[in-house]
Amino acid sequence: MEKVAATQSYLFNTGAQYQSQQYLGCHWESATQVSFRAWAPHAQLVQVIGSFNDWQPIPLMLLPKTGIWVGAVASVQVGDLYKFQVTDAAGHVQAKIDPFARQFEKKPGDAGVVPDPTPMQWHDSLWLARRKKSRSANRPINIYEVHLGSWRRHSDGRYYTYKELSETLIPYVKKLGYTHIELMPVMEHLLDASWGYQQLGYFAPTSRFGTPLDFLKLVDQCHQANIGVIVDWVPGHFIRNYDALYQYDGTPTFEYQDPDRDNNRRWGAWNFDLGKAQVQSFLISSALFWLTDCHLDGLRVDAVSNMLYLDYDEGRAGQRNQFGDNRNLEGIAFLKRLNTLIFEQHPDVLMIAEESSAYPQVTASVDQGGLGFNYKWNMGWMHDTLAFFQLDPWQRRDHFELLTFAFVYLYDEQFILPFSHDEVVHGKKSLMHKMPGDRYNQFANLRTMLTYMLAFPGKVLNFMGSEWGQFLEWRDWSQLEWVDLKDPLNHGMQQFTQTLNQVYRENRPLWELDHDPAGLIYTYTDDPASATMGFIRQAKRKYSFVVAAFNFMPIERRHYQIGVPYPGQYELLLNTEAQAFGGTWTKLETTFTAIEQPYHGQPASFEVTLPAMGALLIRPQRVEKRSR
């Protein structure tokens, strides 16, 4: 036992313990005895306190040269609460959380909960097997971003539980045709208004919605319904509370020692010391816990820019590394190591960077000098696209570069195109409310923008509520405005989203070559005079492609010519102005004949009526197969 403890402690202290939660924290040693282990290298004394003995301190023993305090307690039961009581070198006593706790009591308390040792019985082997066989770059990824606390609530304001969400959220997402759910942080946190980004428990699903086992069952049932699960994860900073990680043993323990680097003023948090070996063991163990033990399909790593630059946060201007620039060398090295280790164990998961700067090679492999993520949120595309669609249509001709600029850096990274929660809160207005014109035109613009998003190269993400055009911006303290769906326009918008998602999933050209220049054929992407745009999305198979045409003006374009690679018959996949979606077209053009008449660099073409403020998606039905 002593040899095992020495090995585990050595690995943790050298940054090489990637399952540290299985050693540190609270663990069952027998049916009646629990061991407690805490890392507090500069503490004078560490004791465990808990409800199992009326919160009377029980001293732990310091393992020599490890900084780890250990002890065993008998007569403990599942569900008992506990904390560590830490006496620092100056004699100050502070009750502290267990950083490795698997479960916490419900807020406002933050004591750890002695875990239930009952193992999870998984039923998602088929999903995991399929995931291993396919590369994410070549499969559809259409993400529904969800804040569990405000997707739905009971009439009295109570949260839906993990069990209730399994019964409601999963069928809803499956019906609408999304491929993945991305959950805003489910790691334990105290402040609702932080949305989970001020984390307390890095190994504990929040108790707001139920037990850890209930959370695992939610993931399991998502997988059984063929829905992937991604969770936001925050390795850059942690909650300010003094009874949490901050100065855990009375000195900077998880955070930087440098007072100019530990304080994250932008988010009101403390920054992890990403160069410290024990912090690396802690964070890498956390990431692997969610991917391995919880079967998650990916992590969206929050605030990556904060880990890349010394002066990214307010108040740190002028900080420089030994090379004289502002790169955070420890943060960069940590991210490379994190992604390398994760993909060694889980080559089929998604590691997504929420990175808002122009830092290069975020999604390049570590061997090629990159950070090693396989996806990055395309914040530039998001910002420019929203800016364009918020313009009065008659001004769009003068700002067409807002759309066309994204084609310049299209393949610099592997991108996800996000319309996330950040864009529909704090006075920014909902997606529908951002759109110009009266209510009818707002919906027409929104349908066109979402179609543009799914046709544009890259995987996609939309925040909850946008699928039916909720008018009110997101509020974390109440559920979505489900009553909107009684309105025909909102209901039609939801039907449109379901149809659009189905078109996306069933047509390989819209996702199979997202990150390959061969997957996009430029036809008329830069025509500001008419404020129209078109391009062709190509699949691996030569004759499998989708033609996308967009009209960003409230003027119907009759006899609108579209260039295509082959003459023959083409069929309509989607017209955003169909009456069923809330548009005005009662009769749709469903077939088109392309003749050998070159247009915009293509050897054949056909004419369509391009709807005002609308979009068309068209694919070949029977074409003359020939070499080009």
Side-chain angles (χ1 to χ4, degrees):
M1 185 66 70
E2 290 182 3
K3 185 176 181 180
V4 171
T7 300
Q8 295 294 327
S9 299
Y10 172 79
L11 291 173
F12 177 75
N13 282 308
T14 56
Q17 171 52 284
Y18 308 134
Q19 294 180 317
S20 52
Q21 78 281 1
Q22 295 185 6
Y23 175 60
L24 291 158
C26 172
H27 298 276
W28 287 97
E29 301 297 339
S30 68
T32 59
Q33 183 169 284
V34 168
S35 66
F36 292 94
R37 300 184 185 93
W39 175 57
H42 298 105
Q44 185 181 131
L45 175 67
V46 176
Q47 300 164 294
V48 64
I49 54 177
S51 60
F52 40 77
N53 71 341
D54 200 24
W55 300 93
Q56 297 304 305
I58 301 173
L60 303 182
M61 177 184 68
L62 177 63
L63 296 178
K65 299 180 181 180
T66 66
I68 294 175
W69 300 75
V70 301
V73 179
S75 301
V76 176
Q77 297 182 356
V78 171
D80 282 343
L81 304 181
Y82 71 96
K83 280 191 170 187
F84 292 119
Q85 185 165 283
V86 178
T87 304
D88 66 20
H92 301 128
V93 180
Q94 174 74 59
K96 291 282 190 175
I97 69 163
D98 174 9
F100 297 88
R102 302 290 191 91
Q103 184 178 354
F104 286 88
E105 65 176 322
K106 291 184 178 181
K107 61 169 190 166
D110 59 2
V113 176
V114 175
D116 184 343
T118 304
M120 170 66 182
Q121 299 296 319
W122 290 95
H123 306 88
D124 62 348
S125 57
L126 182 60
W127 167 268
L128 295 178
R130 283 201 300 262
R131 197 181 76 183
K132 287 181 180 179
K133 292 180 180 179
S134 62
R135 292 182 63 247
S136 62
N138 303 128
R139 68 176 190 253
I141 297 180
N142 183 3
I143 303 166
Y144 186 64
E145 187 189 24
V146 178
H147 178 259
L148 291 181
S150 58
W151 184 71
R152 273 196 185 275
R153 287 199 183 186
H154 290 284
S155 57
D156 60 0
R158 287 181 298 114
Y159 295 122
Y160 269 41
T161 65
Y162 292 124
K163 292 180 181 179
E164 291 170 324
L165 288 162
S166 296
E167 296 167 356
T168 54
L169 177 62
I170 293 173
Y172 181 80
V173 170
K174 187 173 181 64
K175 177 184 176 182
L176 264 70
Y178 293 98
T179 64
H180 291 71
I181 299 172
E182 180 172 321
L183 303 177
M184 292 170 66
V186 295
M187 297 77 182
E188 191 60 84
H189 56 283
L190 292 176
L191 181 64
D192 289 342
S194 79
W195 310 335
Y197 294 99
Q198 301 280 359
Q199 294 181 0
L200 176 78
Y202 276 75
F203 299 88
T206 177
S207 58
R208 286 168 172 77
F209 314 119
T211 68
L213 190 60
D214 292 336
F215 173 74
L216 297 182
K217 290 179 180 179
L218 171 63
V219 175
D220 192 39
Q221 290 174 36
C222 282
H223 288 171
Q224 292 178 63
N226 293 319
I227 298 168
V229 183
I230 303 163
V231 169
D232 290 2
W233 180 64
V234 189
H237 55 82
F238 58 87
I239 191 172
R240 274 204 188 276
N241 296 36
Y242 280 40
D243 62 345
L245 301 183
Y246 178 68
Q247 296 209 352
Y248 196 80
D249 61 6
T251 67
T253 310
F254 289 88
E255 69 274 24
Y256 288 103
Q257 290 189 353
D258 184 344
D260 288 329
R261 298 187 65 185
D262 70 342
N263 190 1
N264 190 315
R265 296 170 180 83
R266 182 184 296 265
W267 287 293
W270 303 111
N271 289 316
F272 279 109
D273 183 349
L274 299 175
K276 185 178 287 186
Q278 296 91 340
V279 172
Q280 292 186 14
S281 287
F282 174 76
L283 289 174
I284 293 172
S285 294
S286 172
L288 286 170
F289 164 77
W290 293 98
L291 294 169
T292 304
D293 294 30
C294 301
H295 287 207
L296 295 186
D297 302 285
L299 297 174
R300 194 218 69 163
V301 181
D302 185 63
V304 169
S305 300
N306 185 62
M307 293 180 275
L308 296 179
Y309 302 103
L310 294 171
D311 56 0
Y312 181 78
D313 185 30
E314 296 174 11
R316 287 190 273 155
Q319 291 246 346
R320 292 292 182 266
N321 59 36
Q322 67 247 40
F323 301 107
D325 59 55
N326 67 342
R327 289 174 299 149
N328 181 351
L329 301 179
E330 299 97 334
I332 293 168
F334 165 75
L335 291 170
K336 290 181 176 183
R337 187 180 188 196
L338 170 74
N339 286 321
T340 298
L341 290 166
I342 283 175
F343 286 123
E344 282 178 357
Q345 296 192 31
H346 300 286
D348 53 344
V349 300
L350 304 174
M351 288 298 291
I352 303 165
E354 190 262 323
E355 203 284 303
S356 56
S357 77
Y359 189 92
Q361 294 188 291
V362 173
T363 58
S365 69
V366 174
D367 291 342
Q368 296 173 329
L371 294 181
F373 290 94
N374 52 3
Y375 282 98
K376 172 183 173 175
W377 273 18
N378 193 336
M379 311 290 274
W381 177 92
M382 174 275 298
H383 179 273
D384 289 348
T385 301
L386 288 177
F388 178 84
F389 273 91
Q390 288 180 85
L391 289 170
D392 183 290
W394 299 101
Q395 297 177 332
R396 291 174 177 173
R397 293 168 173 168
D398 299 325
H399 300 278
F400 220 61
E401 75 285 351
L402 288 170
L403 292 187
T404 57
F405 181 63
F407 290 99
V408 174
Y409 59 89
L410 184 56
Y411 301 109
D412 288 359
E413 305 279 3
Q414 292 197 161
F415 285 121
I416 290 176
L417 312 176
F419 288 144
S420 74
H421 65 276
D422 280 326
E423 308 316 313
V424 294
V425 73
H426 295 327
K428 294 181 181 178
K429 300 186 290 190
S430 68
L431 289 190
M432 207 280 278
H433 195 183
K434 292 177 194 286
M435 300 296 104
D438 59 19
R439 198 156 182 268
Y440 165 78
N441 278 290
Q442 286 179 314
F443 277 105
N445 273 279
L446 182 57
R447 291 192 298 269
T448 300
M449 186 176 74
L450 294 185
T451 304
Y452 178 72
M453 179 190 210
L454 278 179
F456 197 89
K459 310 310 179 184
V460 294
L461 174 145
N462 272 296
F463 185 58
M464 62 185 196
S466 64
E467 71 271 20
W468 74 71
Q470 176 171 302
F471 182 81
L472 291 180
E473 69 176 21
W474 172 53
R475 301 171 299 179
D476 64 90
W477 62 88
S478 66
Q479 71 170 0
L480 296 177
E481 296 290 306
W482 293 97
V483 68
D484 287 351
L485 292 174
K486 295 180 179 180
D487 183 282
L489 283 173
N490 290 110
H491 181 73
M493 183 70 207
Q494 187 187 53
Q495 292 298 111
F496 167 78
T497 300
Q498 181 177 343
T499 302
L500 178 65
N501 289 348
Q502 181 180 355
V503 168
Y504 172 76
R505 291 186 73 147
E506 293 178 354
N507 288 274
R508 300 176 76 90
L510 296 175
W511 44 263
E512 193 172 41
L513 295 176
D514 269 325
H515 316 301
D516 186 332
L520 175 66
I521 300 172
Y522 297 92
T523 54
Y524 40 106
T525 54
D526 192 6
D527 188 9
S530 67
T532 63
M533 177 182 285
F535 47 80
I536 296 172
R537 294 298 312 279
Q538 178 70 52
K540 290 181 179 179
R541 287 179 55 244
K542 182 177 181 180
Y543 299 102
S544 178
F545 56 90
V546 170
V547 180
F550 303 92
N551 182 4
F552 304 115
M553 294 287 287
I555 303 172
E556 185 174 272
R557 305 283 184 181
R558 298 191 177 188
H559 307 294
Y560 190 82
Q561 197 167 357
I562 293 178
V564 289
Y566 310 102
Q569 294 299 117
Y570 289 73
E571 63 180 348
L572 179 72
L573 284 173
L574 183 77
N575 181 330
T576 62
E577 274 298 293
Q579 189 177 47
F581 306 145
T584 59
W585 282 45
T586 58
K587 186 176 181 181
L588 305 178
E589 296 177 294
T590 57
T591 60
F592 313 90
T593 301
I595 60 175
E596 292 191 55
Q597 181 176 338
Y599 190 72
H600 278 283
Q602 298 300 310
S605 62
F606 58 84
E607 288 187 350
V608 302
T609 299
L610 192 56
M613 202 62 70
L616 300 176
L617 297 180
I618 298 168
R619 70 180 175 189
Q621 190 177 39
R622 294 185 304 277
V623 297
E624 297 180 20
K625 298 180 178 181
R626 58 182 72 176
S627 60
R628 295 188 60 190

